[in-house]
Coordinates of all heavy atoms in Angstrom, one line a residue:
S312 N 6.5 9.5 10.5 CA 6.6 10.7 11.3 C 8.0 10.8 12.0 O 8.6 11.9 12.0 CB 5.5 10.6 12.4 OG 5.7 11.5 13.5
F313 N 8.5 9.7 12.4 CA 9.8 9.7 13.1 C 10.9 10.2 12.1 O 11.7 11.1 12.4 CB 10.1 8.4 13.7 CG 11.5 8.3 14.4 CD1 11.6 8.8 15.6 CD2 12.6 7.8 13.7 CE1 12.9 8.7 16.3 CE2 13.8 7.7 14.4 CZ 14.0 8.2 15.6
L314 N 10.9 9.6 10.9 CA 11.9 10.0 9.9 C 11.8 11.5 9.6 O 12.8 12.2 9.5 CB 11.8 9.2 8.7 CG 12.8 9.4 7.6 CD1 14.1 8.6 7.9 CD2 12.3 9.1 6.2
V315 N 10.6 11.9 9.3 CA 10.4 13.2 8.8 C 10.5 14.3 9.9 O 11.1 15.4 9.7 CB 9.0 13.3 8.1 CG1 8.6 14.7 7.8 CG2 9.1 12.4 6.8
R316 N 9.8 14.1 11.0 CA 9.7 15.1 12.1 C 10.9 15.0 13.1 O 11.4 16.1 13.5 CB 8.4 15.0 12.8 CG 7.2 14.9 11.8 CD 6.2 16.0 12.0 NE 5.1 15.8 11.1 CZ 4.9 16.6 10.0 NH1 5.7 17.6 9.8 NH2 4.0 16.3 9.2
D317 N 11.2 13.8 13.5 CA 12.2 13.8 14.6 C 13.6 13.8 14.0 O 14.5 14.3 14.5 CB 12.0 12.5 15.4 CG 10.8 12.6 16.3 OD1 10.6 13.6 17.0 OD2 9.9 11.7 16.2
M318 N 13.8 13.2 12.8 CA 15.1 13.1 12.2 C 15.3 14.2 11.1 O 16.4 14.5 10.7 CB 15.3 11.8 11.5 CG 15.5 10.6 12.4 SD 15.9 9.1 11.5 CE 17.0 8.3 12.6
N319 N 14.2 14.8 10.7 CA 14.2 15.8 9.6 C 14.9 15.3 8.3 O 15.5 16.1 7.6 CB 14.9 17.1 10.1 CG 14.8 18.2 9.2 OD1 13.7 18.4 8.6 ND2 15.8 19.0 8.9
I320 N 14.7 14.0 8.1 CA 15.3 13.5 6.8 C 14.3 13.6 5.7 O 13.1 13.5 5.8 CB 15.6 11.9 7.0 CG1 16.6 11.7 8.2 CG2 16.1 11.3 5.7 CD1 18.0 11.9 7.8
D321 N 14.9 13.8 4.5 CA 14.1 14.0 3.3 C 13.1 12.8 3.1 O 13.5 11.6 3.1 CB 15.1 13.9 2.1 CG 14.5 14.3 0.8 OD1 13.3 14.1 0.6 OD2 15.2 14.7 -0.1
W322 N 11.8 13.2 3.1 CA 10.8 12.1 3.1 C 10.9 11.2 1.9 O 10.5 10.1 1.9 CB 9.4 12.8 3.2 CG 9.1 13.6 1.9 CD1 9.3 14.9 1.7 CD2 8.4 13.1 0.7 NE1 8.8 15.3 0.5 CE2 8.3 14.2 -0.2 CE3 7.9 11.8 0.3 CZ2 7.7 14.1 -1.4 CZ3 7.3 11.7 -0.9 CH2 7.2 12.8 -1.8
R323 N 11.5 11.7 0.8 CA 11.6 10.9 -0.4 C 12.5 9.7 -0.2 O 12.3 8.6 -0.8 CB 12.1 11.7 -1.6 CG 11.1 12.8 -2.0 CD 11.8 13.7 -3.0 NE 13.0 14.3 -2.4 CZ 13.8 15.1 -3.2 NH1 13.6 15.3 -4.4 NH2 14.9 15.6 -2.6
M324 N 13.5 9.8 0.7 CA 14.4 8.7 1.0 C 13.5 7.6 1.7 O 13.7 6.4 1.4 CB 15.6 9.1 1.9 CG 16.5 10.0 1.1 SD 17.6 10.9 2.2 CE 18.8 9.6 2.6
G325 N 12.7 8.0 2.6 CA 11.8 7.0 3.3 C 10.9 6.4 2.3 O 10.7 5.1 2.3
A326 N 10.3 7.2 1.4 CA 9.3 6.6 0.4 C 10.0 5.6 -0.5 O 9.5 4.6 -0.8 CB 8.7 7.8 -0.4
E327 N 11.3 5.9 -0.9 CA 12.0 5.0 -1.7 C 12.3 3.7 -1.0 O 12.3 2.7 -1.6 CB 13.3 5.7 -2.2 CG 13.6 5.4 -3.6 CD 14.7 6.3 -4.1 OE1 15.9 6.0 -3.9 OE2 14.4 7.3 -4.8
W328 N 12.6 3.8 0.3 CA 12.9 2.6 1.0 C 11.7 1.7 1.1 O 11.7 0.5 0.9 CB 13.4 2.9 2.4 CG 13.8 1.7 3.2 CD1 13.2 1.3 4.3 CD2 14.8 0.7 2.9 NE1 13.8 0.1 4.8 CE2 14.8 -0.3 3.9 CE3 15.7 0.6 1.8 CZ2 15.6 -1.4 3.9 CZ3 16.6 -0.5 1.8 CH2 16.5 -1.5 2.8
F329 N 10.5 2.3 1.3 CA 9.3 1.6 1.3 C 9.1 1.0 -0.1 O 8.7 -0.2 -0.2 CB 8.1 2.5 1.6 CG 7.8 2.7 3.1 CD1 8.8 2.6 4.1 CD2 6.5 2.9 3.5 CE1 8.5 2.7 5.4 CE2 6.2 3.0 4.8 CZ 7.2 2.9 5.8
E330 N 9.4 1.7 -1.1 CA 9.2 1.2 -2.5 C 10.1 0.0 -2.7 O 9.6 -1.0 -3.3 CB 9.6 2.3 -3.5 CG 9.5 1.8 -4.9 CD 9.7 2.9 -6.0 OE1 9.8 4.1 -5.6 OE2 9.8 2.6 -7.1
T331 N 11.3 0.0 -2.1 CA 12.2 -1.1 -2.3 C 11.6 -2.4 -1.5 O 11.8 -3.5 -2.0 CB 13.5 -0.8 -1.6 OG1 14.0 0.4 -2.2 CG2 14.6 -1.8 -1.9
C332 N 11.0 -2.2 -0.4 CA 10.7 -3.3 0.5 C 9.3 -3.8 0.4 O 9.0 -5.0 0.6 CB 10.9 -3.0 2.0 SG 12.6 -2.5 2.4
L333 N 8.3 -2.9 0.2 CA 6.9 -3.4 0.3 C 6.4 -4.3 -0.7 O 6.5 -4.1 -1.9 CB 6.0 -2.1 0.3 CG 6.0 -1.3 1.6 CD1 5.1 0.0 1.4 CD2 5.4 -2.1 2.8
L334 N 5.8 -5.4 -0.2 CA 5.1 -6.3 -1.2 C 3.9 -5.6 -1.8 O 3.5 -6.0 -2.9 CB 4.6 -7.5 -0.4 CG 5.6 -8.5 0.1 CD1 4.9 -9.6 0.9 CD2 6.3 -9.1 -1.1
D335 N 3.3 -4.6 -1.1 CA 2.1 -4.0 -1.6 C 2.4 -2.7 -2.2 O 1.5 -1.8 -2.4 CB 1.1 -3.9 -0.5 CG 1.5 -3.0 0.7 OD1 2.5 -2.2 0.5 OD2 0.9 -3.1 1.8
Y336 N 3.7 -2.4 -2.6 CA 4.0 -1.2 -3.2 C 3.2 -0.8 -4.4 O 3.0 -1.6 -5.3 CB 5.5 -1.1 -3.6 CG 5.8 0.1 -4.4 CD1 5.9 1.3 -3.8 CD2 6.0 0.0 -5.8 CE1 6.2 2.5 -4.5 CE2 6.2 1.2 -6.5 CZ 6.3 2.4 -5.9 OH 6.6 3.5 -6.6
D337 N 2.6 0.3 -4.4 CA 2.1 0.9 -5.6 C 2.4 2.4 -5.5 O 2.3 3.0 -4.5 CB 0.6 0.5 -5.8 CG -0.3 1.6 -5.6 OD1 -0.4 2.6 -6.4 OD2 -1.1 1.5 -4.6
P338 N 2.8 3.0 -6.7 CA 3.3 4.4 -6.6 C 2.3 5.4 -6.0 O 2.7 6.3 -5.3 CB 3.7 4.7 -8.0 CG 3.0 3.7 -8.9 CD 2.8 2.5 -8.0

Side-chain angles (χ1 to χ4, degrees):
S312 164
F313 180 78
L314 182 82
V315 167
R316 313 234 180 253
D317 292 310
M318 288 184 148
N319 191 41
I320 299 278
D321 190 334
W322 66 270
R323 293 170 302 173
M324 295 165 74
E327 215 169 84
W328 182 244
F329 271 32
E330 177 174 351
T331 308
C332 299
L333 281 175
L334 289 177
D335 62 20
Y336 170 74
D337 106 69

